[in-house]
Amino acid sequence: MARRAREKSQTGIYHIMLRGIDKRNIFINDSDYEKFIEYIKKAKEKIEFTIYAYCLMTNHVHLLLKTESEEIGDVIRRITVGYAQYHNIKNGRTGHLFENRFKSEPVDTDDYFLIVLRYIHQNPIKAGMVERIEDYKWSSYNEYMKKNTLINSTFALNYFKDRQGLIEYMTEESEDKCLEFNPKKRYTDEELKETIYSLVDISILNTLDREARDNLLKSIKETTGASNRQLSRILKIGRGILDRIK
């Protein structure tokens, strides 16, 4: 079966996630994290792209970046191929280090850019690795407090009155969910119908007030991960209603 085409960003900005194959650890010690950052710097010397945020976790990586003339796949290969070779030689292994197909989502609005920025930097807190966002060593959060860093901090800072505004936004509690938390599962219509019917009695949809109906629809969307188009067809409810429910 042919791969589904990667969704293109209208702004050139993408949220990228790289995972270790079979959930393998990508980073084992501090020198590994440092080497990965070094490969990002080397890639930037070869091709033009902008990094707005990164977070290096034990077995996966988040990047928020903007491509210029290069395709997003070429940018990621520039970063990962050299690091994978380094990792394999160092650890006496062969074969792939990263999953064959990295995950990506376009970041086409100002609001979503800020959500992804915060989500990436809060990853270590939500994983229980640190209690304070600034205590995690291998994210770009602390680079927002400096000058002349790997990232472009000006773009994000322009959304806020001052640096303190950015800090307050980045450190406030959130339920941000990006990329891997919103997979679009593939069901046949019959499978999806059976799944929904096993969860809720959808015959009550038309009897609920708007708030209760939207809460129920939100629950169905989050639980099934199905597309709004297919849910609209199965639930016999307007696509526009589902599109408005986040």
Side-chain angles (χ1 to χ4, degrees):
M1 182 181 293
R3 281 183 172 179
R4 187 179 179 182
R6 194 176 296 281
E7 191 173 355
K8 296 274 279 186
S9 169
Q10 300 303 308
T11 62
I13 301 176
Y14 292 89
H15 174 200
I16 305 293
M17 186 175 71
L18 305 162
R19 280 195 186 278
I21 195 166
D22 298 327
K23 299 183 179 179
R24 176 186 296 275
N25 285 350
I26 302 168
F27 308 109
I28 298 171
N29 52 38
D30 282 3
S31 63
D32 291 344
Y33 292 97
E34 291 166 355
K35 184 62 73 171
F36 191 88
I37 291 172
E38 182 181 315
Y39 275 103
I40 295 177
K41 291 177 180 176
K42 287 182 177 179
K44 283 175 62 63
E45 291 171 0
K46 299 287 186 182
I47 55 178
E48 191 176 359
F49 64 96
T50 302
I51 295 276
Y52 298 116
Y54 65 83
C55 186
L56 315 184
M57 302 290 279
T58 308
N59 66 0
H60 67 282
V61 172
H62 287 278
L63 301 170
L64 179 58
L65 57 79
K66 181 178 183 180
T67 60
E68 302 300 337
S69 57
E70 301 285 340
E71 292 293 328
I72 186 63
D74 294 333
V75 173
I76 299 306
R77 277 190 291 275
R78 285 277 187 180
I79 297 170
T80 58
V81 170
Y83 179 79
Q85 291 173 344
Y86 151 84
H87 180 94
N88 284 353
I89 292 170
K90 178 183 175 185
N91 295 288
R93 67 178 298 273
T94 58
H96 295 291
L97 174 62
F98 297 96
E99 289 182 346
N100 286 336
R101 186 168 168 85
F102 63 88
K103 292 185 177 181
S104 69
E105 61 176 349
V107 179
D108 287 334
T109 67
D110 294 344
D111 286 347
Y112 197 58
F113 175 86
L114 293 175
I115 287 171
V116 174
L117 185 75
R118 180 170 61 188
Y119 168 77
I120 287 175
H121 288 134
Q122 289 189 355
N123 239 233
I125 293 176
K126 293 180 178 178
M129 300 174 77
V130 293
E131 292 185 359
R132 301 186 309 167
I133 193 170
E134 64 267 30
D135 290 339
Y136 192 68
K137 186 177 179 181
W138 305 112
S139 86
S140 53
Y141 174 77
N142 287 316
E143 293 198 41
Y144 274 89
M145 311 304 130
K146 306 173 186 176
K147 293 182 179 180
N148 302 320
T149 64
L150 175 63
I151 63 165
N152 176 320
S153 61
T154 304
F155 187 80
L157 285 166
N158 283 338
Y159 288 102
F160 299 90
K161 181 179 178 180
D162 52 28
R163 199 175 298 271
Q164 184 59 33
L166 175 83
I167 292 172
E168 290 173 2
Y169 175 79
M170 298 267 256
T171 56
E172 70 183 13
E173 288 189 19
S174 74
E175 295 298 325
D176 299 335
K177 294 182 179 181
C178 305
L179 205 57
E180 79 268 34
F181 287 100
N182 188 31
K184 291 292 188 288
K185 297 181 182 177
R186 293 180 180 274
Y187 301 89
T188 66
D189 281 3
E190 192 59 38
E191 287 171 341
L192 181 57
K193 187 181 297 184
E194 289 179 5
T195 299
I196 293 172
Y197 283 12
S198 71
L199 297 171
V200 296
D201 178 5
I202 64 170
S203 66
I204 67 171
L205 270 176
N206 293 329
T207 69
L208 300 174
D209 61 35
R210 178 172 177 172
E211 182 178 1
R213 181 204 64 191
D214 288 356
N215 285 336
L216 180 57
L217 291 173
K218 181 178 181 181
S219 177
I220 292 172
K221 287 178 64 172
E222 290 178 347
T223 302
T224 65
S227 70
N228 287 347
R229 183 189 300 275
Q230 191 177 22
L231 286 170
S232 174
R233 189 166 63 243
I234 297 302
L235 297 173
K236 294 182 172 54
I237 196 162
R239 170 79 178 274
I241 294 173
L242 291 161
D243 287 343
R244 287 195 299 272
I245 298 171
K246 304 299 182 183

